[in-house]
Amino acid sequence: MTIVDSIGVEMGDSCYIFGSIEGLGYTPDGNIAVLDRISADIRIFSSGGEYLWKSGGRGGGPGEMHNPLSFFLFPDGRMCALDPWRSGLQMYSRDGVYQGIGMDISNNVHICPEIVSDSSFVSLKTEFIVEDAAAPRLAVFVALFEMSAEPEITYWREELEVDFLTAADLSQKYLLTISIAVDTLNNIVYLTPYSGTDYLIERYSLDGERLTDLELEIETVPLTEDEIRVAEEFVRQRLSSLEGGNPQYNVHLTDPITHRIPVIDLEIDSCGNLWARRGTEDKPFFDIWSAEGELIGSAVMAGAGPERLSWEFELCSNDRMLAYDTDPDLYQKIYMIDITDLN
């Protein structure tokens, strides 16, 4: 895996300056679409990194956004940004024309959406449960949604007692560490619920049947005090952004995770293979699993520098991958990665 080019500058043309990338991917036309939360727009770049046009922008008018949190890029080319402060899923045509609200939602947003079809996706969501004579509980679940706030099929669900003093701890373990991937060729849903120091990837058929888990014996790696501090700051900033900058609960960790998460990202290539990124490695390192559950190889990226655990990846085909750093040293860039030699 080799970085061949990048998009992004520290100063200069604002079209190439990113504030907070919230999602990206290749369009059916081969261009690169990027959602930026700070500028509240979706920008389109050519496959070579040249700025072409944008949709949205910060404001209260039609097609404008306030605080977009998740990016949806459907197979037919439609682009969507989930902004609960602007009533829900803002939809744009493949040419960037605003098409209105595709899904009404003003709270309890969908997290980590993975597209299944032109009208469905799998994502993480929460549910607040209040019953008579019982302490309130928070349900965290991964489910299939048909452009609705209500799930069609639930794959994984965990119910937790609510303590607003430890909300950040619950969020770190059950909201911000989970990864999801959907193999639409073989109709398999993969997810990684928090499992401490165990390498565990759960598998489900798209219709909800539990399949054999993927597991490996790997060495555990303790976090340094500085890494724990950085992780706490990430949790604080992420919870603040999810709540529009003013959450009504504690956003500081009291019981932080003390070891590196074994699996921190899941991606699917165009052959239906699962790429599982190890959080225990300093360099971006992926275990590659077949749809049958066989470990068939691995890949490591050169040129990323040490300890790039804050990188987010998007595997777009058998020869193209995109990445960006959620906690860059200087400024955010989009990295274009060649993986042709692996095939």
Side-chain angles (χ1 to χ4, degrees):
M1 300 168 56
T2 306
I3 298 173
V4 295
D5 208 345
S6 65
I7 307 170
V9 296
E10 183 176 11
M11 295 181 292
D13 189 339
S14 61
C15 296
Y16 295 89
I17 297 175
F18 301 109
S20 179
I21 297 173
E22 293 295 323
L24 78 177
Y26 279 98
T27 70
D29 302 325
N31 295 322
I32 298 170
V34 185
L35 172 65
D36 189 289
R37 181 170 56 84
I38 301 302
S39 56
D41 59 24
I42 298 172
R43 279 176 251 176
I44 307 298
F45 299 86
S46 71
S47 59
E50 177 186 2
Y51 172 76
L52 299 177
W53 47 269
K54 74 173 182 177
S55 295
R58 184 167 294 280
E64 294 180 326
M65 296 179 279
H66 175 69
N67 189 32
L69 299 173
S70 298
F71 184 50
F72 296 66
L73 183 57
F74 290 102
D76 62 7
R78 286 175 301 145
M79 302 171 293
C80 307
L82 183 56
D83 188 346
W85 291 267
R86 296 286 293 133
S87 302
L89 196 64
Q90 310 292 312
M91 300 191 66
Y92 306 85
S93 72
R94 64 188 299 160
D95 299 319
V97 178
Y98 180 59
Q99 296 183 320
I101 304 296
M103 180 175 62
D104 294 326
I105 184 166
S106 59
N107 56 58
N108 194 14
V109 299
H110 300 79
I111 303 173
C112 305
E114 292 292 328
I115 302 302
V116 176
S117 70
D118 289 334
S119 62
S120 62
F121 59 92
V122 172
S123 77
L124 177 70
K125 209 168 185 292
T126 62
E127 175 188 0
F128 195 62
I129 303 170
V130 179
E131 298 174 342
D132 293 339
R137 303 191 309 280
L138 180 70
V140 183
F141 60 96
V142 174
L144 174 71
F145 297 87
E146 296 282 351
M147 296 300 286
S148 168
E150 298 301 320
E152 293 290 326
I153 300 173
T154 298
Y155 304 106
W156 170 86
R157 181 181 174 96
E158 195 80 37
E159 291 192 11
L160 313 163
E161 290 188 4
V162 174
D163 183 345
F164 290 100
L165 295 178
T166 60
D169 301 302
L170 296 179
S171 297
Q172 184 187 38
K173 294 180 174 69
Y174 294 97
L175 293 182
L176 303 181
T177 62
I178 195 166
S179 295
I180 305 169
V182 180
D183 171 12
T184 57
L185 288 178
N186 301 287
N187 295 323
I188 301 175
V189 176
Y190 298 89
L191 60 94
T192 59
Y194 176 69
S195 57
T197 57
D198 294 330
Y199 184 112
L200 173 65
I201 303 171
E202 295 187 5
R203 300 195 307 156
Y204 301 82
S205 68
L206 196 57
D207 59 10
E209 179 187 358
R210 181 73 179 267
L211 305 176
T212 305
D213 295 339
L214 305 180
E215 299 179 88
L216 280 180
E217 292 289 338
I218 63 173
E219 184 178 355
T220 60
V221 180
L223 291 169
T224 65
E225 291 186 5
D226 186 60
E227 287 173 330
I228 293 175
R229 179 191 59 78
V230 170
E232 178 174 5
E233 179 61 19
F234 171 78
V235 170
R236 187 190 66 78
Q237 291 184 3
R238 190 57 183 165
L239 291 179
S240 295
S241 68
L242 288 171
E243 296 294 332
N246 187 32
Q248 301 300 311
Y249 50 81
N250 176 46
V251 294
H252 295 282
L253 297 174
T254 60
D255 182 27
I257 294 173
T258 58
H259 287 72
R260 290 189 179 183
I261 302 296
V263 182
I264 58 174
D265 189 19
L266 300 176
E267 300 292 335
I268 303 291
D269 67 22
S270 57
C271 292
N273 298 316
L274 173 72
W275 290 48
R277 184 182 171 196
R278 290 195 197 182
T280 54
E281 302 288 336
D282 286 341
K283 293 181 179 180
F285 180 98
F286 292 86
D287 297 307
I288 305 174
W289 300 83
S290 71
E292 293 73 31
E294 178 187 0
L295 183 63
I296 58 176
S298 60
V300 63
M301 189 174 78
E307 300 187 9
R308 288 303 187 197
L309 296 177
S310 57
W311 281 39
E312 293 285 344
F313 289 85
E314 186 70 28
L315 181 55
C316 304
S317 71
N318 268 13
D319 60 357
R320 294 184 296 181
M321 179 181 278
L322 299 173
Y324 62 94
D325 194 343
T326 61
D327 186 26
D329 295 330
L330 296 174
Y331 59 96
Q332 277 195 322
K333 293 195 292 186
I334 298 169
Y335 298 95
M336 298 178 308
I337 301 164
D338 183 12
I339 58 173
T340 306
D341 291 342
L342 299 179
N343 299 310

